[in-house]
Amino acid sequence: MNTPEPIRIDRRVAIKWMLTASAGAMLIRTPSFGGVAPETAASAAGRPATGYGTDPDLVKGYKPGDLWPLTFTAAQRREAAALCDIMIPADDHSPSASAVGVTDFIDEFVSAPYPDNVRDGKKIVDGLAWLDAESTRRFGAVFADASAGQQASLCDDIAPEEPANPDLKAAADFFKRYRNLVASGFYTTPVGMKDIGYVGNVPLARFEGPPADLVERLGLTDEVKW
Amino acid sequence: MDIDLKSLSLSISKYYPMAFITPASAADKYDVIVVGSGAAGGQAAYTLAMDGARVLMIEAGRNYDPRSETPMFQTNDAAPLRAVGTPDKAFGFYDATVDGGWSVPGEPYTNASMEHGREFKWWRARMLGGRTNHWGRIALRNGPYDFKPRSRDGLGFDWPISYEDVAPYYDKVEMLIGVYGSNSGLENTPDSPDGCLLPTPKARIGELLVRQRGRRLGIPVIPIRRAVLTQPLDHRTIPAKLHPGNAKAQRVLAEDMQNRAACFWATACGRGCSIRANYQSTTVHLPPALATGNLDIVTNGMAREVTLDPAGKATGVAYIDKTTGLEHHASARAVVLAASACETVRLLLNSKSNRFPNGLANSSGLVGKYIMDTVGADWGGQIPILENLPPLNEDGAGGEHVYTPWWLYKEQIAGKLGFARGYHVEIGTGRGMPGGYAPYLPSSGGRTTYGARLKQDARRYYGSNVWLTGRGEMIPNADSFCEIDPKVVDKWGIPVLRFHWKWSEHEIRQAAHMQRTFADWIVAMGGTNRKEPDPDGRKGIEPGGSIIHEVGGTIMGAAPATSVTNSWSQAWDVKNLFVADGGVFASNADKNPTLTIMALAWRTADRILDQMRKGNF
């Protein structure tokens, strides 16, 4: 199931969507994920016991790593960045995901102490390990060092939500979960918001509503009279 | 940018005359103690202080200053985890909740059953202003039917008061806090007199589509009412209407109103508002009340017990200073409980004495009984007509601009629906600020899209989702109540609440009706439902308490045997003890309760002033 975008919704709905999204991204362990150490990099590094607490300063800005240590190894980080940019490459409108710090966000996510992050973070780290192992098996190179064509062929095998080879199901679930994380990270940046066409968050003297030509094009002219 | 933010923040920075005190500096005796500082406590303290009563407010949470603590323009990438909810901040990093949420550290509550449909969730905030800092600002009046539901359909309880008793207070609260909205003339959806409402914001493009397609289904869509200033309040005329003959109150209020800015159409209201453009107790009720010099506030004060004299009159409140762990006592001629419905129940049940062995004001045995929440069920869909729209700034008033009031009164009273009470629909559309949840990206041919296609899809689908949120009336029942848990205490040693919950078939069928209706509405907009709603409303209904509209527990009524409080929200058993929060609700209309809480709190405060002037306590 897809995660709908964050439209103007009730907070409770947002929470529900978040829960649904993470439930939908549940990874099912298959033998193809075998060989991955049960300890994630994050847990091995020793997570802090708590997060930012119930009364954090809401006004200051935070960067990944400010509140809990980031835990990607250098190799994981390289691989995560490569996969970020396969998900969201640069185009004429905007740069790639890794260029605006999405790799840092993924690291922050998998390193966070909250139960959902511990659970999903392990799946992300396990998925990255699987991807490297599979790339090495197929191409003799870890994912980040594989050619663009090799990377694409591997991704195309795990892009189907229900892959023909059931052994790839866990990898496919990881791929979608990772895709959603990259999209979350990218479209919350100023660059991503501009790309998607979000033009709010600026003070206005008046709220004008939609322009008349758009209202007319959608056949809604009668609706602006109350 | 049309507004000079720097000069704006300078002009509002003078508004807080602090009268925050410590337990040691409290006066020996006050006229009134108010426990709690949210919608009820804020309104009660405001009305009392403006009319000259000396008031002590005791708030369990910390002081909170919206001027300096509100994240007004922070983007989600400046927050940890893109600002998504965590156990520390369940509604997201920027939600204006301090030390609260579904759990409060060191202050547990328990459930008698965690079976599906039996759980109750309790949202609390431990901060000055309580939950008013983050609420949705939806400010709907109860209608005439809503005060006499039993007379209409034989279920639940009538209130001992009618719409006409409350209407003048709705007028006053709307003028004081500022509510945008319009008069529709629709059934049981009261109009406001001229001068009460502010202009409605223009509808967003998706809201226009929802309206058009709703009409084809016979469902009305009208401007919603929210406590947001779409223009400055009229400080020249309103103070005299609210405080006739009280020159000081008029002067204080006129000055304070000029320090509230109108909405500048940016930032979600749930973050709070540093320019005071929406209602929260901390920006609307407390500043003028403090400016009178008649209000003292103790924060971090956890009320433990209402104390009594030998004659059974309330003498004050024993409370724990959370910063030291020491207990203190404050004295007053009258006590107002405004701690939120369930916290007020807890305080009463923990105030045991020889005279009241089952808890204070509980001779009826009804303290804690008939807790009600709002019925919640939602449905959403993606609407192709709204794809690929040009960039539009749809931040608007930081929340909904339109809604659907309950529209099937006639069918319902004729018994055609299978459930007895109605619901309204809150309509979510638009190109809001992207949050930490992935944008809508449908799979293509069963494949997870990525790469160049992902970026194209994100542009195409952004802003094309519609979410319909049902909010309905729950009928009070004997299986939904709270009591003191015999085994569990909080970190201060105070016994905690245990909740019991059960929906009736009325609520379950209503939830199913919501989702069926909304799914049809999505189709009428040209959308496709990703699945069909489950005809069993048990699947769609949100858990009890999760809409955070819990009321009841100290319900008002016409007789001491069948209610806890009388028509003035005055405890039948203790004449100088009042409940100002939602505890007194004898029914819980689909209308969001906050405006009614404030109207009743004002009315109760007027009664206290009247009784004090007559020397009755």
Side-chain angles (χ1 to χ4, degrees), chain B residues 223-244:
Chain B
I224 200 170
R225 294 176 173 213
R226 293 182 68 245
V228 177
L229 304 189
T230 51
Q231 64 185 33
L233 289 169
D234 183 355
H235 64 91
R236 290 181 185 82
T237 63
I238 291 174
K241 290 179 190 169
L242 298 185
H243 302 287

Side-chain angles (χ1 to χ4, degrees), chain A residues 155-197:
Chain A
C155 289
D156 282 338
D157 283 351
I158 56 175
E161 292 174 327
E162 300 296 333
N165 176 358
D167 287 349
L168 294 180
K169 174 63 177 161
D173 288 347
F174 153 74
F175 189 74
K176 183 166 186 177
R177 182 77 183 95
Y178 197 89
R179 191 279 311 261
N180 284 342
L181 268 181
V182 173
S184 308
F186 183 78
Y187 290 108
T188 44
T189 64
V191 159
M193 290 193 285
K194 182 169 181 234
D195 181 325
I196 210 171

Side-chain angles (χ1 to χ4, degrees), chain A residues 1 14 17 20-22 32 38 55-56 73 79 83 93 97 102 105 107 114 154 157 160 162 165 181 183 186 189 220:
Chain A
M1 122 154 227
W17 281 3
T20 309
S22 41
S32 60
D55 189 12
T73 63
E79 184 188 8
L83 191 55
H93 295 270
V102 175
F105 163 61
D107 198 351
Y114 298 108
L154 186 43
D157 283 351
E162 300 296 333
N165 176 358
L181 268 181
F186 183 78
T189 64
L220 297 169

Side-chain angles (χ1 to χ4, degrees), chain A residues 11-141:
Chain A
R11 298 178 303 269
R12 301 166 195 89
V13 174
I15 304 308
K16 197 166 112 180
W17 281 3
M18 182 190 70
L19 296 176
T20 309
S22 41
M26 291 279 279
L27 285 174
I28 300 160
R29 245 189 185 291
T30 70
S32 60
F33 268 66
V36 174
E39 283 283 284
T40 65
S43 60
R47 291 171 190 276
T50 57
Y52 47 68
T54 54
D55 189 12
D57 182 341
L58 303 188
V59 175
K60 68 175 278 197
Y62 297 84
K63 294 188 308 294
D66 283 357
L67 290 163
W68 46 81
L70 303 183
T71 54
F72 272 161
T73 63
Q76 284 172 323
R77 189 171 179 77
R78 252 181 98 232
E79 184 188 8
L83 191 55
C84 274
D85 291 352
I86 288 170
M87 297 299 183
I88 297 191
D91 68 3
D92 292 344
H93 295 270
S94 60
S96 72
S98 75
V100 293
V102 175
T103 315
D104 299 325
F105 163 61
I106 306 269
D107 198 351
E108 178 193 42
F109 180 93
V110 304
S111 309
Y114 298 108
D116 285 359
N117 297 89
V118 172
R119 191 193 61 220
D120 283 7
K122 173 169 167 50
K123 290 168 186 164
I124 296 298
V125 169
D126 287 355
L128 289 171
W130 178 88
L131 195 64
D132 255 358
E134 184 68 7
S135 178
T136 303
R137 186 180 71 78
R138 290 194 197 181
F139 314 122

Side-chain angles (χ1 to χ4, degrees), chain A residues 2-18 51-62 67-68 86-91 93-95 105 108-109 112 114-115 117 152 155-156 159-162 175-176 179-180 183-190 193 195-211 214-215 217-220 222-226, chain B residues 1-3 62 68-69 71 73-75 77-78 80-82 85-91 93-95 98-99 105 134 202-205 208-209 211-212 215 221-223 264-266 378 385 391-396 399 401-402 428-443 446-452 454-455 458-459 461-467 471 530 542 546-548:
Chain A
N2 293 295
T3 310
E5 71 182 5
I7 54 172
R8 191 168 311 282
I9 51 166
D10 188 278
R11 298 178 303 269
R12 301 166 195 89
V13 174
I15 304 308
K16 197 166 112 180
W17 281 3
M18 182 190 70
Y52 47 68
T54 54
D55 189 12
D57 182 341
L58 303 188
V59 175
K60 68 175 278 197
Y62 297 84
L67 290 163
W68 46 81
I86 288 170
M87 297 299 183
I88 297 191
D91 68 3
H93 295 270
S94 60
F105 163 61
E108 178 193 42
F109 180 93
Y114 298 108
N117 297 89
C155 289
D156 282 338
E161 292 174 327
E162 300 296 333
F175 189 74
K176 183 166 186 177
R179 191 279 311 261
N180 284 342
S184 308
F186 183 78
Y187 290 108
T188 44
T189 64
M193 290 193 285
D195 181 325
I196 210 171
Y198 173 70
V199 292
N201 206 37
V202 291
L204 304 173
R206 286 168 301 281
F207 180 73
E208 302 286 6
L214 177 66
V215 171
R217 174 156 75 77
L218 268 53
L220 297 169
D222 288 348
E223 306 304 329
V224 300
K225 304 175 199 91
W226 292 91
Chain B
M1 225 179 259
D2 290 298
I3 292 171
R62 72 161 172 86
S68 60
E69 299 195 57
F73 289 97
Q74 277 76 352
T75 51
D77 67 329
L81 300 171
R82 266 34 181 191
T86 67
D88 284 332
K89 296 275 294 188
F91 282 179
F93 189 74
Y94 290 131
D95 176 49
V98 170
D99 293 332
H134 89 147
K202 291 196 170 77
R204 303 177 178 94
I205 190 77
L208 296 176
L209 183 69
R211 183 188 192 208
Q212 180 187 61
R215 184 186 296 108
V221 171
I222 64 172
F264 53 33
W265 314 105
D378 335 298
I385 296 171
L392 300 168
N393 183 339
E394 297 207 297
D395 283 359
H401 291 186
V402 302
T429 71
R431 303 168 70 89
M433 182 192 282
Y437 312 96
Y440 177 69
L441 296 166
S443 61
R447 295 171 69 86
T448 299
T449 54
Y450 67 97
L454 183 157
K455 287 179 114 170
R459 292 168 201 136
Y461 294 114
Y462 171 57
S464 69
N465 279 294
V466 169
W467 197 264
R471 292 289 179 255
R530 288 191 277 275
E542 301 284 342
S546 60
I547 311 305
I548 322 182

Side-chain angles (χ1 to χ4, degrees), chain B residues 310-331:
Chain B
K313 263 178 62 181
T315 54
V317 173
Y319 65 99
I320 292 159
D321 180 346
K322 287 171 149 183
T323 63
T324 63
L326 298 177
E327 183 160 315
H328 298 268
H329 184 264
S331 300

